[in-house]
Amino acid sequence: MKNDIKNVLLTEEEIRLKVKELGQKISNDYKGKSLLLICLLKGSAIFLADLCRAIDLPIRLEFMQVSSYGNGTENTKNITIKQDISQIPADSNIVIVEDILDTGRTLYYIRKYLMLKNPASLEICTLLDKPSRRLVSVDAKYVGFEVPDEFVVGYGLDFAEKYRNLPYIGVLRPEVYENN
Ligand code: IMP
Ligand code: MG
């Protein structure tokens, strides 16, 4: 697995500190409010697990799965909801937890979809942001790191379902996906 990584972009320690910082920001912003974190599976599962433990407030968790990528590295497909959430409590302040904001298509779609449920508020928390790839404008209130236009894996992010369990975030060697 490690041989497929060109270089480590974000170390375990850098991620740990950033997640703590994001958790503190969210804790300050939602004090006294009803907070619902919606995790977009599967890529965000590990981020969610660490982030929610860095939030010092009572929270609720929900999980959705949307597919856009298939096994490739290019986002060409339409977005479909594979696992949905049921109703949300009327006073919910939603924070969508996402691993990476790339073209923006996924979060644009999900944000619009969740707005139909009339939450009290809706914000986005993404660990990574690749602004150079954006096709659709999306506002993320909480952003961990801006990353360059390279395909990254680890800490939940996959290529063809692999590498999610790397504890750091690394750039995948292009040979790996070009030969796939
Ligand atoms: P978007 O709809 O193009 O913003 O795509 C977002 C989704 O694409 C993310 O939730 C990831 O699952 C996937 N994705 C985008 N870039 C990468 C990457 O560099 N590594 C792994 N997955 C990625
Ligand atoms: Mg994802």
Side-chain angles (χ1 to χ4, degrees), residues 69 75 98-100 102-106 130 151-152 157-158:
Y69 250 73
N75 189 355
E98 175 64 311
D99 51 1
I100 184 165
D102 187 34
T103 64
R105 282 187 180 131
T106 307
K130 246 190 229 177
F151 199 80
V152 295
L157 291 125
D158 74 310

Side-chain angles (χ1 to χ4, degrees), residues 4-161:
D4 295 344
I5 303 302
K6 194 173 85 179
N7 60 283
V8 174
L9 196 63
L10 300 163
T11 65
E12 270 188 86
E13 182 63 3
E14 285 171 322
I15 297 169
R16 194 183 65 76
L17 291 174
K18 184 62 78 176
V19 172
K20 206 172 145 195
E21 188 188 312
L22 290 170
Q24 281 166 355
K25 273 191 199 149
I26 293 173
S27 304
N28 288 335
D29 292 353
Y30 291 88
K31 207 167 284 164
K33 292 183 179 163
S34 154
L35 175 59
L36 169 62
L37 300 181
I38 299 183
C39 171
L40 300 188
L41 293 171
K42 304 172 194 172
S44 314
I46 292 175
F47 176 39
L48 183 271
D50 287 340
L51 180 69
C52 74
R53 286 177 291 177
I55 297 175
D56 185 21
L57 295 174
I59 55 163
R60 299 168 69 110
L61 298 178
E62 291 288 350
F63 298 84
M64 286 181 78
Q65 189 172 7
V66 295
S67 65
S68 56
Y69 250 73
N71 280 347
T73 56
E74 285 301 317
N75 189 355
T76 50
K77 310 201 177 62
N78 289 330
I79 290 141
T80 52
I81 295 179
K82 287 167 80 177
Q83 184 187 319
D84 202 352
I85 53 168
S86 46
Q87 277 167 322
I88 59 162
D91 59 345
S92 292
N93 293 276
I94 295 178
V95 173
I96 304 172
V97 178
E98 175 64 311
D99 51 1
I100 184 165
L101 178 50
D102 187 34
T103 64
R105 282 187 180 131
T106 307
L107 282 172
Y108 180 83
Y109 179 88
I110 293 300
R111 168 180 246 286
K112 250 173 70 178
Y113 178 79
L114 290 173
M115 284 307 281
L116 298 175
K117 296 186 186 283
N118 289 319
S121 67
L122 196 158
E123 299 291 350
I124 289 166
C125 176
T126 184
L127 180 64
L128 306 179
D129 183 10
K130 246 190 229 177
S132 58
R133 295 251 313 164
R134 199 79 83 252
L135 296 175
V136 188
S137 162
V138 174
D139 260 346
K141 182 163 185 189
Y142 307 99
V143 177
F145 304 94
E146 274 195 13
V147 295
D149 183 10
E150 292 182 290
F151 199 80
V152 295
V153 293
Y155 196 71
L157 291 125
D158 74 310
F159 171 70
E161 298 299 328

